[in-house]
Amino acid sequence: MTKNASPSYTLAELASLLNATLIGDGERRVCGLSTLTDAGPDDIAFLANRAYAKHLATTRAAAVLLHPEYAEECPTPALLLDNPYLAYAKLSHYFDPLKRDEASVTDVHPTAVISSDVTIGEGVFVGANAVIEAGVCLADGVHIGAGSFVGADVSLGARSYLHPNVVLYHGVIVGASSVIHSGAVIGGDGFGFAHDGAQWHKIAQLGGVVIGDNVEVGSCSSIDRGALGDTVIGSDVKIDSQVQIAHNVHIGEHSALAGCVGIAGSTRVGRHCLLGGGVGLAGHLEIADGVQITGMSLVTNSISEAGVYSSGTGSMPNGLWRRNAVRFKQLDELSRRVTRLERHRD
Amino acid sequence: MTKNASPSYTLAELASLLNATLIGDGERRVCGLSTLTDAGPDDIAFLANRAYAKHLATTRAAAVLLHPEYAEECPTPALLLDNPYLAYAKLSHYFDPLKRDEASVTDVHPTAVISSDVTIGEGVFVGANAVIEAGVCLADGVHIGAGSFVGADVSLGARSYLHPNVVLYHGVIVGASSVIHSGAVIGGDGFGFAHDGAQWHKIAQLGGVVIGDNVEVGSCSSIDRGALGDTVIGSDVKIDSQVQIAHNVHIGEHSALAGCVGIAGSTRVGRHCLLGGGVGLAGHLEIADGVQITGMSLVTNSISEAGVYSSGTGSMPNGLWRRNAVRFKQLDELSRRVTRLERHRD
Amino acid sequence: MTKNASPSYTLAELASLLNATLIGDGERRVCGLSTLTDAGPDDIAFLANRAYAKHLATTRAAAVLLHPEYAEECPTPALLLDNPYLAYAKLSHYFDPLKRDEASVTDVHPTAVISSDVTIGEGVFVGANAVIEAGVCLADGVHIGAGSFVGADVSLGARSYLHPNVVLYHGVIVGASSVIHSGAVIGGDGFGFAHDGAQWHKIAQLGGVVIGDNVEVGSCSSIDRGALGDTVIGSDVKIDSQVQIAHNVHIGEHSALAGCVGIAGSTRVGRHCLLGGGVGLAGHLEIADGVQITGMSLVTNSISEAGVYSSGTGSMPNGLWRRNAVRFKQLDELSRRVTRLERHRD
């Protein structure tokens, strides 16, 4: 695929696409999307965060997406909407040259290795050197990137998209319109071993992985298959890069997991949860709907109420930290000393 | 490979395979393995954790693997054993349809790219588009997954198994019956650079990686080659997904590393150690045999005695955490204040 | 490639190559590089860390690289230099058999899939089953490992080196002499979604990734493309394995990131920074030049001054840790109790 000429749209077209109120010249044409500070005179910009409102006065943008409360301050033509960040998200796809190129790419590359009993829908793309094993079902519009491996009996829903060098082990089920980035591995064995007092015995991982619709899995993330029963990723779950999801974990719909999150076996995360980068969840926990956990927190107990949870210490200069960290090791003792002082006072 | 019909076994057969004492009808046939709560009437279940004993009364399973102490409570036929979890591990392989399919797959795919001076044993499988470089030695029964890369002079022991898209750099040695999951990279350069005051100079990583027998390496994990001398993974070591093992690390036999563990260069971990998920070990440490480290702990000093070690704080609601984390920064000062109060009291 | 016979050099040759002062027999020939303790009688060793000086007396090495201050203690021929570690780094490449083999490997493998409009310089190597998309530009001496995917319009500078199974998404730019290890994914989508109150809407990631000269990226690391504008990795930045760099991050020249580091979106790390293993940086931060952050620290605020920063608690036996961690949850309350005691005293 090569880059197309830049797309361009009139402000009237965009107002119509986004269902926005247009202030200014609807014939003005924009051919790029940018931030308030980086925008050139042919770009449309957006204001979605109050902290950036100060850049409105000096932006060179042709037009700005913003909330009606900023309409008066805006020195350029404006598209007014209640949720400018959402409008930016929608608009971003109109300025993605790749999107439009790929719509026409629906071939199976001659070097792809495809078993004889594979079901392939309409408009499917299979890239160079991809390997598709027996029993696989690719629904309409599926895209299999070059060098990806799709194991036996995998099912991919309509328009689901594997970037290059993804691996799906046998039997993995992916819903419609889900996206898996390169290097991700779905369905590898869960980490299950029994100890006989001297050595480990592997437990065959007999379950699978079931991924819903509109899920995104980032680069180099791994989602392990279940031991008995499946690992389940609900629809509209968004998973960033370098995430590890162990066997039999369930992630509720609409939850989002930032980079480097690790979730141990059999833990259930609710719906609409947000896990910050590097968060670790121990195994066999229940995390309620609507829980947010801040970055790099470790959670070792179930959480039954929505809310924001944290662990750890803030960072500080190393000299101060060393002194405080030593005191942490004496903290129980310190607490007892305070109790003794209180008794003495009374 | 396509799924075989489900396997089925009589309870008498299973009692014999597992060396268990059978209570009930030996002719009863089971065709699946499940948990006490999920089992259907044709499944065998197991009780390995006291917390689940309450589900015994209501299980629909055809039979249950359990310890003799539960024999009387068990409403179904039972197979009695001292270590039901181990029995479950063994039994799991009898219910793995893949295992049996693959026994017959021992071909070299025509798209695999294999150098002329490669030694290939009996019953070796090489998948589509795999690349095997010169000087490689594949012992009997080795399985190389599709798209995997096996660098020059690599040696793979009997029945060792690479899943698709694994990379072994030149000279890596893997023992017998070891399993490497997809996306894992073994033998990449260790992170070694010397600084000249202005910029970095790479140190060629001249060592290798030596992996013992019965080792498992999870998806997307990386084990770097040594700078001088080898990185060494002892036999029966189990490594989960997303683990990073730096150059010249040694892991003693029978140790297990959960997901997202990171071990810095030249650290030596003893035998029978257990590292929880996300644990970090600094470089150049010695960790004794039998050490357990709980999840997400950072270890920056050697540990000379077996036992359980931890770091960090528990997680808590964010409002409470914020107040406590601020106090952590004042902890040394707080301790001094308490000392002053104690002096004043005396 | 197969191993060449071991290289060998006279001490006089090495002294000349390294610009070192030779003490002893310049005709003495060495054919290996090792540590003081592991060196055999044909090896040259080095002393770069004061802690190892005690091994000088008993080394079996043929010669030692060391600082002049140790010249008198050294029982063997010596090469004297101000920075023996740097000298070791330089010397390591003379003992790397691979380096020399690969100089002659400059072919495009017949199984590589290369689009018709790709620009290929002199002395380029493209491995088996690599896939190169349209518009790619490979400068002189570029090495593309087997099974790697190079997306449309990627540009690779002279002598840049991709190990097997690397993925570069469309439009990624890599400078000269940079090295990307296996399993690394550069240019995957940043983690950007807007919420409409009910579900997520993906934000097309329209930016790219720009990597400078002499950068190294470790195995299984991921660097995401920018949302608007690019993710930028400065020249001479060294990135270890399992690192996650989010969209629109900028890393200043000469900085080094150890394994498992995670950096959230839009954060800017200065020049000559050192991030320890597992460090996490929140998004939208500014980290000054010359900042060092110790292993597994979480940084949630910008850092404006060079220095060493840390977070977390040291590790300790679990029993002690449990008692202290409970007290951490009461730390704000404890501090208030001390304040009350102080008031009472006055």
Side-chain angles (χ1 to χ4, degrees):
Chain A
M1 69 199 86
T2 50
K3 273 189 250 177
N4 284 341
S6 280
S8 87
Y9 308 93
T10 65
L11 295 182
E13 284 171 335
L14 296 183
S16 166
L17 285 169
L18 298 171
N19 205 14
T21 302
L22 170 66
I23 308 289
D25 175 11
E27 295 310 302
R28 180 72 185 265
R29 190 165 279 278
V30 293
C31 54
L33 173 61
S34 191
T35 60
L36 285 174
T37 49
D38 290 346
D42 294 326
D43 293 334
I44 183 165
F46 64 98
L47 171 58
N49 180 333
R50 190 168 296 273
Y52 294 100
K54 61 187 176 197
H55 300 305
L56 206 49
T58 55
T59 187
R60 297 164 59 227
V64 181
L65 302 172
L66 38 59
H67 191 272
E69 69 176 303
Y70 293 104
E72 298 219 344
E73 298 176 45
C74 185
T76 72
L79 273 67
L80 307 183
L81 314 106
D82 283 345
N83 189 340
Y85 194 63
L86 180 61
Y88 153 55
K90 290 177 177 170
L91 200 54
S92 66
H93 299 281
Y94 292 97
F95 289 98
D96 186 357
L98 223 66
K99 227 19 180 245
R100 305 181 311 151
D101 286 337
E102 290 186 346
S104 57
V105 179
T106 60
D107 252 359
V108 175
H109 196 275
T111 61
V113 176
I114 302 186
S115 285
S116 51
D117 53 344
V118 168
T119 305
I120 301 189
E122 296 287 311
V124 165
F125 171 85
V126 181
N129 295 328
V131 176
I132 318 270
E133 301 243 281
V136 166
C137 180
L138 307 178
D140 293 352
V142 162
H143 178 113
I144 307 291
S148 286
F149 174 85
V150 181
D153 301 314
V154 163
S155 169
L156 286 164
R159 297 172 309 285
S160 56
Y161 193 111
L162 307 192
H163 284 272
N165 286 17
V166 164
V167 173
L168 305 186
Y169 279 56
H170 65 278
V172 166
I173 295 171
V174 177
S177 301
S178 288
V179 175
I180 319 280
H181 282 280
S182 294
V185 175
I186 318 285
D189 280 351
F191 196 61
F193 302 90
H195 205 271
D196 70 4
Q199 62 186 29
W200 297 104
H201 295 255
K202 182 174 175 71
I203 297 169
Q205 301 292 300
L206 304 176
V209 178
V210 178
I211 293 179
D213 300 334
N214 296 303
V215 169
E216 183 140 346
V217 178
S219 304
C220 303
S221 286
S222 47
I223 303 176
D224 295 344
R225 67 189 316 110
L228 298 167
D230 295 324
T231 304
V232 179
I233 311 296
S235 287
D236 199 36
V237 167
K238 307 302 180 184
I239 298 174
D240 199 354
S241 304
Q242 302 279 346
V243 168
Q244 153 67 358
I245 297 182
H247 50 185
N248 298 101
V249 165
H250 286 226
I251 310 283
E253 296 182 359
H254 311 297
S255 289
L257 285 58
C260 307
V261 160
I263 305 183
S266 299
T267 281
R268 287 169 178 259
V269 175
R271 301 167 82 245
H272 295 289
C273 291
L274 298 175
L275 306 189
V279 159
L281 306 185
H284 299 274
L285 306 184
E286 300 274 342
I287 306 297
D289 292 351
V291 166
Q292 295 183 31
I293 304 178
T294 61
M296 286 178 72
S297 296
L298 168 64
V299 178
T300 56
N301 290 104
S302 290
I303 297 178
S304 58
E305 284 186 42
V308 183
Y309 297 83
S310 302
S311 76
T313 76
S315 59
M316 62 208 85
N318 180 262
L320 175 61
W321 174 80
R322 279 174 180 274
R323 291 192 299 274
N324 291 328
V326 164
R327 298 302 187 186
F328 180 82
K329 294 192 184 185
Q330 308 157 345
L331 191 52
D332 182 50
E333 186 203 323
L334 180 69
S335 179
R336 291 171 192 281
R337 286 161 59 195
V338 171
T339 300
R340 280 195 296 271
L341 285 167
E342 288 168 335
R343 285 199 189 122
H344 182 84
R345 180 196 62 187
D346 298 334
Chain B
M1 70 199 88
T2 50
K3 273 190 253 179
N4 284 341
S6 279
S8 86
Y9 308 92
T10 65
L11 295 182
E13 284 171 335
L14 295 182
S16 167
L17 286 168
L18 299 171
N19 204 15
T21 302
L22 171 66
I23 308 288
D25 175 11
E27 294 310 302
R28 182 71 185 266
R29 191 166 278 280
V30 293
C31 54
L33 173 61
S34 190
T35 61
L36 285 173
T37 49
D38 290 346
D42 295 324
D43 293 333
I44 184 164
F46 65 99
L47 171 57
N49 181 333
R50 191 168 295 274
Y52 294 99
K54 60 188 177 198
H55 299 305
L56 206 49
T58 55
T59 187
R60 297 165 59 229
V64 181
L65 302 172
L66 39 58
H67 190 273
E69 69 176 303
Y70 292 104
E72 297 218 344
E73 298 178 46
C74 185
T76 72
L79 273 66
L80 307 183
L81 315 105
D82 284 346
N83 188 340
Y85 195 61
L86 180 61
Y88 154 53
K90 290 176 177 171
L91 200 55
S92 67
H93 299 281
Y94 292 97
F95 289 98
D96 187 358
L98 223 66
K99 247 326 193 279
R100 306 182 310 150
D101 287 336
E102 289 186 346
S104 58
V105 178
T106 60
D107 252 358
V108 175
H109 196 276
T111 61
V113 176
I114 302 186
S115 285
S116 51
D117 54 344
V118 167
T119 306
I120 301 188
E122 297 287 310
V124 165
F125 171 86
V126 181
N129 295 327
V131 176
I132 318 270
E133 301 242 283
V136 166
C137 179
L138 306 179
D140 293 352
V142 162
H143 178 112
I144 307 292
S148 286
F149 173 86
V150 181
D153 301 315
V154 163
S155 168
L156 286 165
R159 297 171 309 283
S160 56
Y161 193 112
L162 307 191
H163 284 273
N165 286 17
V166 165
V167 173
L168 305 186
Y169 279 56
H170 65 278
V172 166
I173 296 171
V174 178
S177 301
S178 288
V179 176
I180 319 280
H181 281 280
S182 293
V185 175
I186 318 285
D189 281 352
F191 196 61
F193 301 90
H195 205 270
D196 70 4
Q199 63 185 28
W200 297 105
H201 295 255
K202 182 175 175 71
I203 298 169
Q205 302 291 300
L206 304 176
V209 177
V210 177
I211 293 179
D213 301 334
N214 296 304
V215 169
E216 184 140 345
V217 178
S219 303
C220 303
S221 286
S222 48
I223 303 177
D224 295 344
R225 67 190 314 110
L228 298 167
D230 295 325
T231 303
V232 179
I233 311 296
S235 288
D236 199 36
V237 166
K238 307 302 180 185
I239 298 173
D240 199 355
S241 303
Q242 302 279 346
V243 168
Q244 153 68 357
I245 297 182
H247 50 185
N248 297 103
V249 165
H250 287 226
I251 310 283
E253 297 182 358
H254 312 297
S255 287
L257 285 60
C260 307
V261 161
I263 306 184
S266 299
T267 282
R268 287 169 178 259
V269 174
R271 302 167 81 243
H272 294 289
C273 290
L274 298 175
L275 307 189
V279 160
L281 305 185
H284 298 275
L285 306 184
E286 299 273 343
I287 307 297
D289 292 350
V291 165
Q292 295 183 29
I293 304 178
T294 61
M296 286 179 74
S297 296
L298 169 64
V299 178
T300 56
N301 290 104
S302 290
I303 297 178
S304 58
E305 284 185 42
V308 183
Y309 297 83
S310 302
S311 75
T313 75
S315 59
M316 61 209 86
N318 181 263
L320 175 60
W321 174 80
R322 280 173 181 274
R323 291 192 299 275
N324 291 328
V326 164
R327 298 302 187 186
F328 179 82
K329 295 191 184 187
Q330 308 157 346
L331 190 52
D332 181 50
E333 187 202 322
L334 180 68
S335 179
R336 292 171 192 280
R337 286 162 58 196
V338 171
T339 300
R340 280 194 297 271
L341 284 167
E342 289 168 334
R343 287 201 188 119
H344 182 84
R345 179 196 62 185
D346 299 332
Chain C
M1 69 200 88
T2 50
K3 274 190 249 175
N4 284 341
S6 280
S8 87
Y9 308 93
T10 65
L11 295 183
E13 284 171 336
L14 295 182
S16 165
L17 286 168
L18 297 171
N19 204 16
T21 302
L22 170 65
I23 308 288
D25 176 12
E27 295 309 302
R28 181 72 185 266
R29 190 167 279 280
V30 293
C31 55
L33 173 60
S34 191
T35 60
L36 285 173
T37 49
D38 289 346
D42 295 325
D43 293 334
I44 185 164
F46 64 99
L47 171 58
N49 181 333
R50 192 168 295 274
Y52 294 100
K54 60 186 177 199
H55 299 305
L56 206 48
T58 55
T59 187
R60 297 164 59 227
V64 181
L65 301 172
L66 38 60
H67 191 273
E69 69 176 302
Y70 292 104
E72 298 218 344
E73 298 177 45
C74 185
T76 72
L79 273 66
L80 307 183
L81 314 107
D82 283 347
N83 189 340
Y85 195 62
L86 179 61
Y88 154 54
K90 290 176 177 171
L91 201 54
S92 67
H93 298 281
Y94 292 97
F95 290 99
D96 186 358
L98 224 67
K99 232 3 183 257
R100 304 181 312 149
D101 287 336
E102 289 186 346
S104 59
V105 179
T106 61
D107 251 0
V108 175
H109 196 277
T111 60
V113 176
I114 302 186
S115 285
S116 51
D117 53 345
V118 168
T119 305
I120 300 188
E122 296 287 310
V124 164
F125 171 85
V126 181
N129 295 326
V131 177
I132 318 270
E133 301 243 282
V136 166
C137 180
L138 306 178
D140 293 351
V142 161
H143 178 112
I144 307 292
S148 286
F149 174 87
V150 180
D153 301 315
V154 163
S155 168
L156 286 164
R159 297 172 309 284
S160 57
Y161 193 111
L162 307 191
H163 284 272
N165 285 17
V166 164
V167 173
L168 305 186
Y169 280 55
H170 65 279
V172 166
I173 295 171
V174 178
S177 301
S178 288
V179 176
I180 319 280
H181 281 280
S182 293
V185 176
I186 318 284
D189 281 351
F191 196 62
F193 302 90
H195 205 271
D196 70 4
Q199 62 186 28
W200 297 105
H201 294 256
K202 182 175 176 70
I203 298 168
Q205 301 292 300
L206 304 176
V209 177
V210 177
I211 293 179
D213 301 333
N214 296 303
V215 169
E216 183 140 344
V217 178
S219 304
C220 303
S221 286
S222 47
I223 303 177
D224 294 344
R225 68 189 314 109
L228 298 167
D230 296 322
T231 304
V232 179
I233 311 295
S235 287
D236 199 36
V237 166
K238 307 301 180 184
I239 297 173
D240 198 355
S241 303
Q242 303 279 347
V243 168
Q244 153 67 356
I245 297 182
H247 50 185
N248 298 102
V249 165
H250 286 226
I251 310 284
E253 296 182 358
H254 312 296
S255 288
L257 284 59
C260 307
V261 160
I263 306 184
S266 300
T267 282
R268 287 168 177 259
V269 174
R271 302 167 82 245
H272 295 289
C273 290
L274 299 175
L275 306 190
V279 160
L281 306 184
H284 298 275
L285 306 184
E286 299 273 343
I287 306 297
D289 293 351
V291 165
Q292 295 183 30
I293 304 177
T294 61
M296 287 179 72
S297 296
L298 169 64
V299 178
T300 57
N301 290 105
S302 291
I303 296 178
S304 58
E305 285 186 42
V308 183
Y309 296 83
S310 302
S311 76
T313 75
S315 60
M316 63 208 85
N318 181 262
L320 176 60
W321 173 80
R322 280 173 181 273
R323 291 192 299 276
N324 291 328
V326 164
R327 297 303 186 184
F328 180 82
K329 295 192 185 185
Q330 308 158 346
L331 190 53
D332 182 50
E333 186 202 323
L334 180 68
S335 179
R336 292 172 191 281
R337 285 161 58 195
V338 172
T339 300
R340 280 194 296 270
L341 284 167
E342 288 168 335
R343 287 201 187 119
H344 182 83
R345 180 196 62 184
D346 299 332

